[in-house]
């Protein structure tokens, strides 16, 4: 008789738990991918920052020079080239600019989310990691920036990776490979936006906790060369950009090259922090950002603050290190007069990390459930009311909103989106109710972001696109005409498929016009200039120019050399006062 086939052994509970954790982990990442990637490919870059970075990436691909970024004819020294090179590489891989300019933000945001989950899992367990990841994924600033083609999600990823490596070493070490990885990531943060070095502020709470004998700190003993390896990794990351840059500048030495080095290493770093020239805000500005842009996570603070205080009393270094780092980062950016909400975005992942161990229990409390429902209603009722009122009564506000964004006959569509968002949020409240307020919050916010990504953002981008202006210009100058731009914005060169000439971006507008006049006079029959209408007087006769319409809230006109006033011929343009020229986009 044949031997009986052995029956399969049922999985033990530990194996089932591990399988469930894997499923939840990948569901978290899959849900994040679907949410954050929604809308990619449906819109192009929109002001203010997206067209700038996309234009630099375009020129990298077109010129083959990925080391020295250019914005038009100028060397672009506001930021190192890392992020724009990532956009250019994304285009090389995808062949689609509308995907490529958003791909680095998507991938870095997913990477940040994974780091927060994995660090939470290592410090407190799988459930804490999942809740930390969900907290981050729900936060307004994180999702909004993940869907923008801006530099901040990339910087946040590198800083979070640096913190991840340092915290693994300090709290679960010794782990020298993680430490070196963190130092290398800090260097990558430096060559992306300069702030990666702030990750090393983590040493301050670690040294304090170590001296005071806090709990959850492993004994880390290592040769000095192991610590020196971190410095080597940090410098090596910076050298990936710095060494080729210095070699290039040494080979192509010029006044422009030396000005570029001075601006990017001194003016855009130390001088911008100590003596800023824009984005002035009061010292308490970041408190406003935390209360608003970090919603709905900040709604849990009444439960989180007592829990964190208790952990501090118990001398738990797992909370002290990341929380002190968050405070130090916010304090660092609060000390300068120039403040933008995205400056403190790298602090958000660690705040979500520290919230992870407590959010599940907080969401079981009645006050937290009612707060979540109230938050959804606070979003739903104004959205529904605004949409319905604008559709039914065509209020003055609705008219101004549509006019400012050039919506035209598409204005009704944006109001219908508000109605749909309000209805969806109310439906989530009615279906899940208070008892399952956490699920209602997740579903409501996910639906809102999907509506925005697939409906609202593409509609607004299309309405404000310069595509109509470009079409009118092309029809006017014909295929043989040559085109130059004066007082231009970055979205204009991106919109033209033909080569356009410019005379610098940060160059004062009267000098741009002077150069444009001399350029036109060389080939008067074929050369046209597209100019911001505010800077035409006194040199360009308005009646002899052609109205090209409005884009991005600016009026543009097209003219040939016969529109130039006799007094300005030969490029003799009066400088005038800055306000007479509409202001100069200069950061010097």
């Amino acid at each position: 008789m044949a031997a009986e086939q052995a029956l399969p052994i049922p999985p033990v509970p530990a194996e089932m738990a591990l399988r469930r954790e894997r499923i939840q982990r990948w569901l978290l990442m899959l849900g994040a991918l679907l949410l954050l990637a929604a809308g990619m490919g449906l819109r192009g870059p929109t002001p203010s920052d997206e067209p700038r970075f996309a234009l630099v990436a375009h020129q990298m691909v077109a010129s083959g020079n990925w080391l020295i970024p250019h914005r038009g004819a100028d060397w672009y020294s506001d930021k190192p080239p890392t992020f724009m090179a990532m956009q250019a590489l994304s285009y090389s891989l995808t062949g689609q600019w509308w995907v490529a300019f958003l791909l680095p933000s998507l991938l870095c945001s997913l990477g940040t989310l994974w780091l927060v989950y994995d660090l939470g899992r290592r410090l407190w367990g799988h459930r804490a990691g999942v809740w930390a990841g969900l907290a981050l994924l729900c936060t307004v600033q994180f999702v909004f920036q993940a869907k923008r083609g801006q530099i901040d999600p990339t910087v946040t990823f590198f800083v979070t990776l640096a913190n991840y490596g340092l915290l693994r070493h300090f709290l679960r070490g010794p782990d020298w490979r993680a430490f070196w990885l963190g130092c290398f990531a800090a260097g990558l943060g430096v060559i992306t936006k300069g702030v990666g070095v702030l990750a090393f502020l983590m040493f301050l709470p670690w040294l304090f906790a170590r001296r005071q004998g806090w709990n959850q700190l492993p004994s880390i003993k290592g040769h000095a060369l192991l610590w020196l390896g971190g410095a080597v990794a940090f410098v090596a990351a910076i050298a990936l950009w710095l060494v080729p840059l210095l070699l290039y500048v040494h080979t192509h030495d010029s006044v422009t090259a030396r000005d570029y080095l001075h601006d990017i290493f001194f003016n855009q770093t130390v001088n911008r922090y100590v003596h800023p020239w824009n984005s002035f805000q009061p010292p308490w500005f970041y408190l406003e950002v935390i209360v608003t842009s970090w919603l709905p996570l900040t709604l849990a603070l009444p439960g989180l603050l007592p829990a964190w205080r208790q952990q501090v009393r118990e001398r738990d270094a797992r909370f002290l290190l990341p929380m002190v780092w968050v405070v130090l980062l916010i304090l660092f950016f609060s000390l300068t007069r120039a403040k933008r909400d995205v400056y403190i975005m790298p602090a958000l992942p660690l705040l979500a990390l520290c919230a992870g161990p407590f959010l599940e229990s907080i969401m079981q409390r009645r006050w937290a459930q009612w707060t979540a429902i109230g938050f959804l209603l606070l979003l739903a009722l104004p959205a529904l009311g605004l949409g319905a009122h604008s559709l039914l009564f065509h209020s003055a506000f609705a008219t101004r909103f549509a006019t400012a964004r050039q919506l035209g006959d598409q204005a009704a569509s944006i109001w219908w989106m508000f109605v749909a968002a309000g209805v969806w949020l109310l439906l989530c409240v009615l279906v899940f109710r208070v008892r399952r307020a956490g699920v209602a919050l997740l579903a409501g916010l996910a639906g809102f972001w999907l509506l925005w990504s697939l409906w609202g953002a593409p509609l607004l981008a299309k309405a404000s696109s310069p595509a109509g202006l470009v079409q009118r210009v092309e029809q006017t100058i014909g295929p043989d005409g040559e085109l130059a731009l004066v007082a231009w914005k970055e979205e204009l060169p991106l919109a033209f498929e033909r080569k356009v000439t410019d005379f610098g971006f940060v160059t004062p507008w009267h000098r741009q016009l002077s150069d444009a006049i001399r350029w036109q006079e060389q080939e008067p029959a074929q050369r046209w200039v597209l100019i911001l209408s505010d800077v035409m007087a006194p040199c360009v006769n308005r009646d002899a120019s052609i109205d090209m319409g409005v884009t991005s809230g600016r009026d543009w006109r097209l003219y040939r050399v016969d529109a130039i006033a006799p007094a300005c011929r030969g490029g003799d343009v009066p400088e005038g006062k800055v306000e007479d020229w509409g202001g100069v986009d200069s950061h010097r």
Side-chain angles (χ1 to χ4, degrees):
M1 186 175 178
E4 294 182 0
Q5 185 177 3
L7 295 175
I9 299 175
V12 297
E15 293 176 347
M16 295 179 64
L18 290 174
R19 184 181 304 169
R20 183 168 59 250
E21 289 180 5
R22 284 195 297 268
I23 293 174
Q24 292 175 352
R25 178 165 59 242
W26 291 113
L27 283 177
L28 171 67
M29 298 307 299
L30 178 61
L33 174 62
L34 295 176
L35 179 67
L36 301 182
M40 283 187 65
L42 298 183
R43 69 173 185 90
T46 56
S48 59
D49 292 334
E50 287 184 341
R52 180 189 319 156
F53 297 131
L55 176 62
V56 172
H58 267 262
Q59 293 189 238
M60 283 181 172
V61 174
S63 67
N65 184 352
W66 292 32
L67 182 62
I68 306 294
H70 283 73
R71 176 170 54 179
D74 293 338
W75 289 29
Y76 179 67
S77 56
D78 283 19
K79 302 289 186 297
T82 305
F83 174 69
M84 290 75 80
M86 292 171 66
Q87 290 183 312
L89 177 61
S90 298
Y91 173 75
S92 300
L93 296 175
T94 65
Q96 299 290 331
W97 275 116
W98 280 19
V99 173
F101 88 99
L102 292 173
L103 190 57
S105 294
L106 170 65
L107 295 179
C108 288
S109 297
L110 291 173
T112 301
L113 182 67
W114 175 265
L115 293 172
V116 168
Y117 160 76
D118 191 62
L119 192 54
R121 177 184 65 84
R122 293 175 184 273
L123 295 177
W124 299 288
H126 165 74
R127 296 290 295 176
V130 169
W131 277 94
L134 289 174
L136 183 62
L137 187 58
C138 286
T139 308
V140 172
Q141 187 182 62
F142 179 78
V143 179
F144 180 75
Q145 292 297 330
K147 293 178 171 292
R148 298 284 294 171
Q150 298 182 172
I151 199 169
D152 302 286
T154 301
V155 175
T156 298
F157 169 72
F158 286 136
V159 174
T160 304
L161 180 58
N163 286 327
Y164 173 87
L166 296 179
L167 288 173
R168 278 189 58 175
H169 182 59
F170 292 155
L171 298 174
R172 283 294 177 263
D175 189 337
W176 292 104
R177 287 186 296 181
F179 174 70
W180 298 332
L181 173 63
C183 294
F184 187 79
L188 295 179
V190 169
I191 65 173
T192 302
K193 199 179 178 180
V195 299
V197 69
L198 296 179
F200 292 126
L201 290 174
M202 192 68 72
F203 272 90
L204 297 180
W206 176 69
L207 290 172
F208 171 82
R210 186 180 181 185
R211 179 178 293 271
Q212 297 298 320
W214 281 55
N215 302 320
Q216 301 295 331
L217 278 181
S219 176
I220 299 178
K221 297 179 181 179
H223 195 277
L225 290 177
L226 295 174
W227 292 102
L228 184 60
V232 171
F234 176 68
V235 172
I238 298 175
L240 292 176
W241 167 62
L242 184 59
V243 171
L245 172 64
L246 294 179
L247 290 175
Y248 182 92
V249 170
H250 177 73
T251 305
H252 303 80
D253 186 33
S254 65
V255 174
T256 301
R258 291 191 292 271
D259 288 346
Y260 174 82
L261 291 180
H262 180 271
D263 193 45
I264 199 167
F265 289 134
F266 299 102
N267 195 45
Q268 295 294 335
T269 52
V270 177
N271 193 41
R272 189 165 193 166
Y273 183 86
V274 178
H275 302 292
W277 48 81
N278 57 17
S279 302
F280 299 124
Q281 298 292 346
W284 58 84
F285 172 72
Y286 289 123
L287 294 178
E288 301 174 7
V289 174
I290 292 170
V291 171
T292 56
S293 296
W294 290 6
L295 285 169
L297 177 58
T298 48
L299 297 177
L301 285 177
L304 289 172
L305 291 176
W308 290 335
R309 185 168 57 248
Q310 180 61 33
Q311 298 305 313
V312 171
R313 288 174 179 171
E314 295 176 2
R315 301 166 67 87
D316 191 337
R318 293 175 299 178
F319 291 93
L320 179 75
L321 267 62
M323 288 304 301
V324 169
W325 186 87
V326 167
V327 173
L328 290 175
L329 183 79
I330 295 172
L331 180 62
F332 175 83
F333 285 113
S334 297
L335 294 178
T336 178
R337 291 188 300 156
K339 301 176 182 68
R340 294 181 61 196
D341 58 344
V342 291
Y343 288 175
I344 64 168
M345 185 176 169
L348 180 56
L350 289 196
L351 185 70
L353 171 72
C354 293
F358 308 109
L359 287 177
E360 186 171 13
S361 62
I362 287 175
M363 286 308 301
Q364 294 173 359
R365 302 175 190 175
R366 204 66 174 171
W367 70 264
Q369 294 171 346
W370 277 109
T371 300
I373 293 299
F375 175 67
L376 290 178
L377 291 175
L378 194 62
L379 293 177
L381 296 178
L384 183 59
L386 177 63
H389 185 269
S390 300
L391 287 169
L392 294 174
F393 300 105
H394 306 290
S395 65
F397 168 79
T399 302
R400 290 195 303 270
F401 182 91
T403 301
R405 289 155 182 81
Q406 303 167 237
L407 288 170
D409 56 4
Q410 296 179 315
S413 182
I414 198 69
W415 303 126
W416 277 114
M417 189 212 74
F418 276 94
V419 170
V423 169
W424 170 255
L425 292 167
L426 286 177
L427 187 62
C428 290
V429 171
L430 294 174
V431 170
F432 297 108
R433 302 189 179 183
V434 176
R435 187 169 59 89
R436 291 183 290 176
V439 179
L441 188 64
L442 290 175
L445 292 176
F448 176 85
W449 283 116
L450 289 175
L451 284 171
W452 169 255
S453 304
L454 301 174
W455 188 345
L459 177 63
L460 292 174
K462 182 180 179 180
S464 61
S465 167
L469 179 145
V470 169
Q471 183 179 14
R472 291 188 291 272
V473 170
E474 293 286 2
Q475 291 174 348
T476 303
I477 69 176
D480 297 326
E482 298 180 41
L483 180 66
L485 305 176
V486 169
W488 51 284
K489 287 297 181 181
E490 293 96 339
E491 55 267 27
L492 284 178
L494 286 173
F496 284 96
E497 293 187 2
R498 70 166 66 217
K499 181 184 181 300
V500 296
T501 300
D502 71 89
F503 309 98
F505 184 85
V506 298
T507 302
W509 291 345
H510 67 276
R511 286 175 49 192
Q512 293 186 39
L513 181 55
S514 176
D515 292 340
I517 292 172
R518 288 192 290 268
W519 174 80
Q520 277 188 303
E521 289 175 342
Q522 295 173 8
E523 297 285 345
Q526 291 183 302
R527 292 184 171 178
W528 300 75
V529 172
L530 183 65
I531 188 171
L532 184 66
S533 63
D534 293 343
V535 303
M536 292 171 58
C539 286
V540 182
N541 183 355
R542 190 178 187 88
D543 294 335
S545 65
I546 307 172
D547 184 12
M548 290 291 107
V550 176
T551 184
S552 298
R554 300 177 180 89
D555 183 24
W556 299 89
R557 302 190 75 88
L558 187 70
Y559 70 89
R560 287 201 290 194
V561 73
D562 53 7
I564 299 298
C568 297
R569 296 290 172 88
D572 187 13
V573 177
E575 180 173 346
K577 297 180 181 179
V578 171
E579 57 266 26
D580 293 337
W581 291 92
V584 178
D585 185 7
S586 177
H587 55 263
R588 305 300 181 208

